[in-house]
Amino acid sequence: MKERDSNLKKEEKNPLKNLDEWEENILKRYPSSDITNKPKETFRNYNDAQVKENVKEFYRLNHKHQTYDFVTQKREDYLKFDKKEMPIWQAFDFLNQLVDDSDPDTDMDQLQHLLQTSEAIRKDNHPDWMILTGLMHDMGKVLCLFGEPQWAVVGDTFPVGCAYSKKIVYSDFFKDNSDYNNPKFNSKYGVYDKGCGLRNINMSWGHDEYIYQMLKNHLPEEGLYMLRYHSFYAWHREGEYNYFLDDHDRKMLPWVHLFNPYDLYSKSPTPPMVEELKPYYEALIKKYLPETLKF
């Protein structure tokens, strides 16, 4: 698997100018009014002509390469957490190497973007563990710094090992996926059982699963669902894959819904004052997390 990744051309690994292009596409699909009570059809009017070609190429590569075997290999590679170990604030410095030089409208680094999310949650008086969830939710993007292609770091997540929902964005691209015609993987339930629960489903590989696995022993279950499924739009926005849910998933879904607006709509051009906020977040990190994170 590593050999296949290394044989990819530069444009096959990183078709996006920056990771934010994927999130910008999500905002077109789910505008801020999408969290009001207005009918979806009134505002979901984006079309292919509005989508950048490199964003479409990103989805094509994502849907082609995210196979069941690919996910299994990435889990084996990364869930040993033997790549790096750092104090958490140093980990933010590491994440900040993902600088977006192509965007002239922002000087903000990754930590400042995460602080915007966590500060919006804090302003609305949500529990402190949810504030910390907001701060940590994109830490898994360090996968890019370990050489992973963009389509194995970000992107709408989806189950692998079973039939793909038609409501996954650009679902037609799954026809290039080797699992698409594999009878082991292309039935409704695939390798899973009806009602088995999302915790027993392998999701496409990326920053969501990685940060969930990193923090799964340290945050409440509600926060862990926010981390693991915040990019699973086919489920929490489109209502797909309900046949896999158990009662626990249904109980957790409102928490994922609660988190989603902070993930998508909390960015602003005004950077937070990191040094002023740092004492609060250092205390919050100390309350819930170990001194160092293993990557």
Side-chain angles (χ1 to χ4, degrees), residues 40-105:
K40 282 185 178 181
E41 55 271 18
T42 13
F43 43 78
R44 285 194 65 191
N45 58 357
Y46 84 105
N47 56 53
D48 280 0
Q50 296 172 291
V51 179
K52 298 177 182 177
E53 284 302 313
N54 57 329
V55 175
K56 287 182 67 175
E57 178 64 4
F58 164 82
Y59 285 116
R60 187 188 72 81
L61 292 166
N62 175 276
H63 293 358
K64 176 181 179 179
H65 292 299
Q66 290 271 4
T67 64
Y68 186 88
D69 287 346
F70 176 86
V71 169
T72 299
Q73 183 62 59
K74 291 303 178 185
R75 290 172 65 91
E76 291 177 2
D77 288 346
Y78 281 98
L79 300 189
K80 300 172 186 174
F81 298 108
D82 59 356
K83 304 288 185 289
K84 207 172 183 69
E85 184 170 358
M86 295 173 282
I88 293 176
W89 216 259
Q90 184 181 327
F92 285 122
D93 291 336
F94 183 57
L95 181 66
N96 280 344
Q97 294 179 41
L98 287 173
V99 176
D100 180 10
D101 293 326
S102 67
D103 189 348
D105 298 323

Side-chain angles (χ1 to χ4, degrees), residues 31-43:
S32 58
S33 54
D34 202 8
I35 60 174
T36 70
N37 292 322
K38 293 180 182 179
K40 282 185 178 181
E41 55 271 18
T42 13
F43 43 78

Side-chain angles (χ1 to χ4, degrees), residues 14 31 37 50 54 90 94 108 121 148 166 175 183-184 186 241 244-245 261 287:
N14 298 317
N37 292 322
Q50 296 172 291
N54 57 329
Q90 184 181 327
F94 183 57
M108 277 186 281
I121 295 170
E148 290 302 312
K166 292 293 185 183
K175 292 178 182 178
K184 180 180 178 181
N186 65 6
Y241 296 103
F244 286 137
L245 305 185
K287 178 178 178 180

Side-chain angles (χ1 to χ4, degrees), residues 28-233:
K28 288 179 181 177
R29 283 186 278 141
Y30 304 105
S32 58
S33 54
D34 202 8
I35 60 174
T36 70
N37 292 322
K38 293 180 182 179
K40 282 185 178 181
E41 55 271 18
T42 13
F43 43 78
R44 285 194 65 191
N45 58 357
Y46 84 105
N47 56 53
D48 280 0
Q50 296 172 291
V51 179
K52 298 177 182 177
E53 284 302 313
N54 57 329
V55 175
K56 287 182 67 175
E57 178 64 4
F58 164 82
Y59 285 116
R60 187 188 72 81
L61 292 166
N62 175 276
H63 293 358
K64 176 181 179 179
H65 292 299
Q66 290 271 4
T67 64
Y68 186 88
D69 287 346
F70 176 86
V71 169
T72 299
Q73 183 62 59
K74 291 303 178 185
R75 290 172 65 91
E76 291 177 2
D77 288 346
Y78 281 98
L79 300 189
K80 300 172 186 174
F81 298 108
D82 59 356
K83 304 288 185 289
K84 207 172 183 69
E85 184 170 358
M86 295 173 282
I88 293 176
W89 216 259
Q90 184 181 327
F92 285 122
D93 291 336
F94 183 57
L95 181 66
N96 280 344
Q97 294 179 41
L98 287 173
V99 176
D100 180 10
D101 293 326
S102 67
D103 189 348
D105 298 323
T106 179
D107 293 322
M108 277 186 281
D109 57 32
Q110 296 293 316
L111 174 58
Q112 287 173 315
H113 280 310
L114 289 173
L115 282 169
Q116 285 186 329
T117 301
S118 57
E119 281 295 285
I121 295 170
R122 183 183 178 192
K123 181 181 178 181
D124 288 345
N125 297 311
H126 290 301
D128 63 356
W129 56 260
M130 184 173 170
I131 299 170
L132 182 59
T133 300
L135 182 70
M136 300 298 295
H137 79 282
D138 276 348
M139 179 63 79
K141 289 180 180 179
V142 299
L143 286 167
C144 280
L145 300 174
F146 295 134
E148 290 302 312
Q150 290 169 338
W151 46 262
V153 178
V154 297
D156 302 40
T157 58
F158 48 85
V160 294
C162 60
Y164 303 110
S165 165
K166 292 293 185 183
K167 291 189 178 180
I168 299 171
V169 63
Y170 288 113
S171 60
D172 285 348
F173 286 142
F174 284 117
K175 292 178 182 178
D176 293 330
N177 188 298
S178 60
D179 291 351
Y180 187 81
N181 293 312
N182 187 332
K184 180 180 178 181
F185 299 129
N186 65 6
S187 65
K188 180 177 181 178
Y189 301 121
V191 297
Y192 311 111
D193 296 319
K194 180 179 180 179
C196 64
L198 291 180
R199 63 190 172 278
N200 294 308
I201 300 289
N202 281 345
M203 301 294 294
S204 54
W205 178 252
H207 74 285
D208 309 64
E209 183 68 20
Y210 189 44
I211 189 61
Y212 158 75
Q213 293 285 350
M214 200 181 300
L215 300 184
K216 67 181 181 181
N217 295 321
H218 304 291
L219 289 176
E221 185 73 353
E222 295 86 351
L224 296 177
Y225 262 71
M226 294 172 182
L227 293 176
R228 195 175 200 180
Y229 302 114
H230 68 270
S231 302
F232 188 10
Y233 293 97

